Each structure stands twice: as structure tokens, then as C-alpha cells.
């Protein structure tokens, strides 16, 4: 018996790994994060599987389902949205499983920020523009350490992907403007890869109003950075004058 923490990907049910899908198919118990995971993912569960939506469950309730699965000798598919390592709240579950002596594995998934980049047809790391991607959020009920204030992160002017914070877009835009400039491009991707996906692009100056007019107030990633201008130096990797481990100069 084993518990698999599975990254379901951002929404499109084809964006789960083969390993993740196989683990779901083989599980007798499935616990999915109903607030965010696309229910179409549940098509991969076995007809005999017992399915639980963790949105209304406490950690103890999740653990007692896992305990029941252990008694039945059944695997558990614990399905999280995107990649479970990003705001997935899996650490506390893994810690509890260690204490219970239950074996587990983590199967990664496509995070919503990479899905958003794909929807935008955008590379997040452009030579000469930014070689760093910051993943962050604003504090909500979960605090964020002061050393990670947006102003501190923004000093780098790196590409920044902001989760869980679309409701605070106006304040984000205001704070980031001081470092990135008001005319810096912003993209907001709502429900990336879902049928309802929406993309809103603008500048730090006008994105707040545009998002407000769109009515988007959840399930969106905000991407800010000069990379969105696509004005960059070409990559050295495919440069004909550049030699590397896999290719000699002609
Ligand atoms: N583990 C997830 C993140 C969970 S936190 C991941 O790797 O993507 C929940 C936040 O993720 C949401 O508030 C939103 O900011 C973002 N999110 C999740 N799915 C999304 C999607 N399909 N499109 C855009 N943002 C998404």
C-alpha cells in the first residue's frame, strides 16, 4: 500500500504525467483537491475507487481516509492541482504519513505558472532580459515572511509569477511599478488550459482596471516582467558561433 501525491496539472486532463495517470488508475482510494482540480481528471479513477473531495475535509479527515485505505491494502491517489510542491500543503500530510509509518511518493505535475507561460506562448527566461523566475504570493490567511516583501523581490526586476493574489492586483501593480516601471508588461492568465481560460494583458499602469472590468477574482496567475516584451538577445544554445557539450562549431 502506498500514497501517491500527484500533480494533476493546471486543468486540461491531458496535462497530467503518464506516471500520475497510472497511479490514479491503480488506486482504490482517491482524494482530490476539489476547489482547484478539474473533475475531468477523475475519469482516470478505477470504477471501484472510493473518491473523496478534500475541499471540505480537515487534515485529520484526510488522514483517516488514508488509514482506511491502509487497512484495506489499497493505494491512495492524493491529487493536487498543478505541481504539488507549489502551495500544495503536502508537507504536513507527508510528515503525518511518516509518523503513521505509511509509504508515499510524490509525482510532479505541470504548475499553473508554466501552463500560463505556454498559453501566452512565452519564454520566462530570455537572455539579456531576465534569467530568474520568482514565484511568490501576497499574504492572505497564510503569512509571507517580511524578507519576501514584494518590494524586496522586485529589486531584482526578474520575471515574477504571482499566485493566489489576483484580488490584490491593484496594490501589486502599484508596488511593482516603482521597480519595473509603469509601462512594464503584465499578463494575467485565468484558469490556464481550462475551457474557460482567459488572458488579460496590459501594463502595470492599466492592468488593475482591466482585471476589475473582467470580473476575474480567483484562479489566476499574474506574470510581470520585461520578458513579455520579447525584446531579447538570441540564446547561445542554438548560436552557430557557440560550441557546447552536444555540438561542435562548424
Ligand atoms: N500547486 C498549484 C498552485 C496551487 S495554489 C500549481 O502548481 O499551480 C492555487 C493558485 O494557483 C491559484 O490561486 C492561482 O493563483 C493558481 N492556479 C491554479 N490553477 C491555475 C490555473 N489553471 N490557471 C491560473 N492559475 C492557476
Amino acid at each position: 500500500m502506498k500514497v501517491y501525491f500527484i500533480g494533476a496539472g493546471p486543468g486540461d486532463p491531458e496535462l497530467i504525467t503518464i506516471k500520475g495517470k497510472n497511479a490514479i488508475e491503480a488506486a482504490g482510494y482517491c482524494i482530490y483537491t476539489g476547489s482547484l482540480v478539474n473533475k475531468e481528471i477523475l475519469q482516470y479513477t478505477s470504477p471501484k475507487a472510493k473518491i473523496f473531495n478534500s475541499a471540505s475535509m480537515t487534515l485529520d479527515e484526510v488522514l483517516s481516509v488514508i488509514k482506511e485505505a491502509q487497512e484495506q491494502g489499497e493505494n491512495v491517489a492524493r491529487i493536487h492541482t498543478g505541481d504539488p510542491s507549489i502551495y500544495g500543503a503536502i508537507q504536513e500530510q507527508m510528515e503525518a504519513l511518516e509518523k503513521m509509518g505509511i509509504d508515499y511518493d510524490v509525482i510532479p505535475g505541470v504548475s499553473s505558472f508554466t501552463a500560463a507561460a505556454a498559453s501566452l506562448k512565452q519564454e520566462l527566461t530570455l537572455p539579456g532580459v531576465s534569467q530568474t523566475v520568482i514565484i511568490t504570493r501576497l499574504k492572505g490567511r497564510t503569512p509571507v515572511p517580511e524578507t519576501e516583501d514584494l518590494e524586496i523581490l522586485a529589486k531584482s526586476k526578474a520575471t515574477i509569477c504571482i499566485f493566489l493574489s489576483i484580488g490584490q492586483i491593484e496594490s501589486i501593480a502599484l508596488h511593482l511599478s516603482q521597480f519595473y516601471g509603469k509601462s512594464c508588461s503584465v499578463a494575467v492568465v485565468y484558469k490556464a488550459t481550462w475551457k474557460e481560460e482567459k488572458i488579460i494583458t496590459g501594463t502595470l499602469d492599466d492592468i488593475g482596471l482591466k482585471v476589475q472590468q473582467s470580473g476575474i477574482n480567483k484562479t489566476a496567475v499574474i506574470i510581470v516582467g520585461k520578458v513579455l516584451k520579447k525584446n531579447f538577445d538570441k540564446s547561445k544554445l542554438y548560436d552557430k558561433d557557440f560550441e557546447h557539450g552536444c555540438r561542435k562549431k562548424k
Side-chain angles (χ1 to χ4, degrees), residues 9-11 36 80-88 109-113 115-116 162-166 189-194 218-222:
L36 284 160
H80 287 265
T81 184
D83 182 86
S85 73
I86 309 284
Y87 308 116
V110 175
S111 182
S112 53
F113 82 95
I162 309 176
F163 284 66
L164 292 156
S165 309
I166 191 67
V189 185
Y190 167 74
K191 285 209 153 183
T193 81
W194 291 63
K218 58 176 178 135
T219 329
V221 169
I222 305 162

Side-chain angles (χ1 to χ4, degrees), residues 5 13 17 25 41 50-51 62 70 84-85 88 95 97 110 128 134 136 151 153 160 202 213 220 226-228:
F5 291 92
T17 62
E25 284 169 353
I41 289 284
K50 288 194 174 177
I51 300 174
V62 168
Q70 185 193 29
S85 73
E95 195 182 272
L97 295 187
V110 175
I134 297 171
T136 191
E151 278 86 352
L153 302 179
I160 186 161
Q213 284 167 347
K226 295 218 170 11
V227 288
L228 298 171

